Amino acid sequence: MKSLIVTGGASGLGRSIAQCASLAGYRVGILDVDSDALEECASLIQGAIPLVASVTSVDEVSAAVVEFGQIPDIWVNNAGIVRFAPLLELSVDDWKAVIDVNLTGTFICSTIVAEAMAQRGSGSIVNITSINGISAGTNSGAYGATKSAISLLTQQMALEWGKFGLRVNALAPGLIDGGMSEPIYSDPQFRKLRTEKVPVGRLGTEEDVAEAVLFLGSEKASYITGHELVVDGGIINSIIANLPRPSSVDSVGLDGE
Ligand SMILES: NC(=O)c1ccc[n+]([C@@H]2O[C@H](COP(=O)([O-])OP(=O)(O)OC[C@H]3O[C@@H](n4cnc5c(N)ncnc54)[C@H](O)[C@@H]3O)[C@@H](O)[C@H]2O)c1
């Protein structure tokens, strides 16, 4: 039986990744710092094993892997936080907190599991980034910088660990209807404004992300490593298309529309 551990798995995208993996026949470990949410989540997913740990703690992550009882085939670095503020108002504490969980947490988990995977000679790591790591976002603080850094770290890990039989990839979700974006999309006005901007005409679902994570992590993607897969319905490519252009310049210009 193949196995998978997802960090930050007690809610949002992580919970959907755990659910999809369980339905696909994986033995699933859900690692999260929020023990209450974790218990509830694990009780809803058939056979899921709750692992209470912070991704920022080497000791806690190591103990969680021991508790799971095996080195998983796939490890998903999904735990992430955001602290919105203009850079000139962002506290150093908030800056450090986001870097600690998102970037350092990814490093800590990956190195712990990669060492064990390398001894076995196989394994796959998927790092959840964001389109905000590709393009700056309003008041994103340290968030986008951590996601961009995780993207490069993914390449670094793929480069160094390929010889051990490991693959490491990143997945950048776009406008996802769930998780930390739930407060945005529960507002009908912002939901409509944002949905209209997505080339495929809808927001992404947590399952859109989860299914792509399972693909990247699985043997179906056995020749893909060091790659960042963007799962965003085309929004990151649509910036120029959203800029107005006079019809005097172009017969399909936007000013008369
Ligand atoms: N939801 C979106 O629209 C969206 C878009 C792009 C990228 N992402 C990324 O997807 C990932 C999941 O986000 P989400 O939207 O599901 O958010 P979420 O807030 O619903 O879930 C994050 C989970 O991480 C856990 N967590 C926080 N700190 C932790 C720590 N130190 N150790 C272990 N677990 C910890 C939380 O308890 C929570 O269960 C994040 O990396 C986020 O940056 C989300």
Side-chain angles (χ1 to χ4, degrees):
M1 188 184 208
K2 293 280 185 189
S3 59
L4 173 150
I5 291 179
V6 55
T7 71
S11 81
L13 302 187
R15 186 173 49 200
S16 284
I17 292 164
Q19 256 159 358
C20 285
S22 174
L23 287 172
Y26 285 82
R27 179 169 179 263
V28 173
I30 306 173
L31 185 152
D32 206 288
V33 73
D34 184 337
S35 54
D36 291 341
L38 189 56
E39 284 303 327
E40 189 195 339
C41 172
S43 70
L44 298 172
I45 300 176
Q46 178 79 24
I49 296 160
L51 304 164
V52 183
S54 171
V55 294
T56 60
S57 164
V58 173
D59 289 347
E60 289 178 19
V61 174
S62 300
V65 174
V66 170
E67 191 181 338
F68 189 61
Q70 69 182 120
I71 306 307
D73 296 283
I74 305 174
W75 182 281
V76 186
N77 286 308
N78 166 79
I81 60 171
V82 63
R83 298 271 191 276
F84 288 112
L87 289 175
L88 294 180
E89 293 169 22
L90 187 70
S91 70
V92 174
D93 282 350
D94 277 350
W95 170 266
K96 285 183 174 174
V98 173
I99 290 189
D100 207 23
V101 174
N102 297 9
L103 182 56
T104 308
T106 296
F107 170 75
I108 286 174
C109 291
S110 300
T111 47
I112 288 172
V113 79
E115 195 161 6
M117 285 174 168
Q119 283 173 16
R120 183 178 60 200
S122 69
S124 169
I125 296 172
V126 180
N127 297 322
I128 304 300
T129 54
S130 168
I131 57 168
N132 199 170
I134 300 169
S135 182
T138 313
N139 298 337
S140 292
Y143 182 79
T146 63
K147 295 300 186 177
S148 192
I150 295 168
S151 178
L152 203 285
L153 181 62
T154 299
Q155 293 180 31
Q156 186 72 26
M157 294 191 293
L159 183 70
E160 294 190 20
W161 299 342
K163 61 177 177 284
F164 302 134
L166 272 61
R167 293 183 305 106
V168 187
N169 290 291
L171 186 146
L175 310 185
I176 306 301
D177 190 9
M180 61 172 63
S181 296
E182 199 273 333
I184 301 174
Y185 300 117
S186 58
D187 180 316
Q189 185 194 0
F190 287 99
R191 186 181 182 88
K192 181 169 180 293
L193 282 171
R194 284 178 163 235
T195 302
E196 285 169 357
K197 299 287 185 199
V198 184
V200 301
R202 68 170 177 87
L203 299 172
T205 65
E206 292 175 353
E207 291 72 26
D208 287 329
V209 174
E211 292 296 349
V213 166
L214 284 189
F215 164 72
L216 264 190
S218 77
E219 285 303 302
K220 288 180 181 167
S222 64
Y223 204 55
I224 302 174
T225 195
H227 182 70
E228 182 169 36
L229 178 63
V230 178
V231 180
D232 75 337
I235 188 77
I236 201 71
N237 293 329
S238 66
I239 295 169
I240 292 174
N242 283 315
L243 298 175
R245 188 167 53 194
S247 53
S248 58
V249 175
D250 181 342
S251 62
V252 291
L254 300 176
D255 68 341
E257 294 174 3

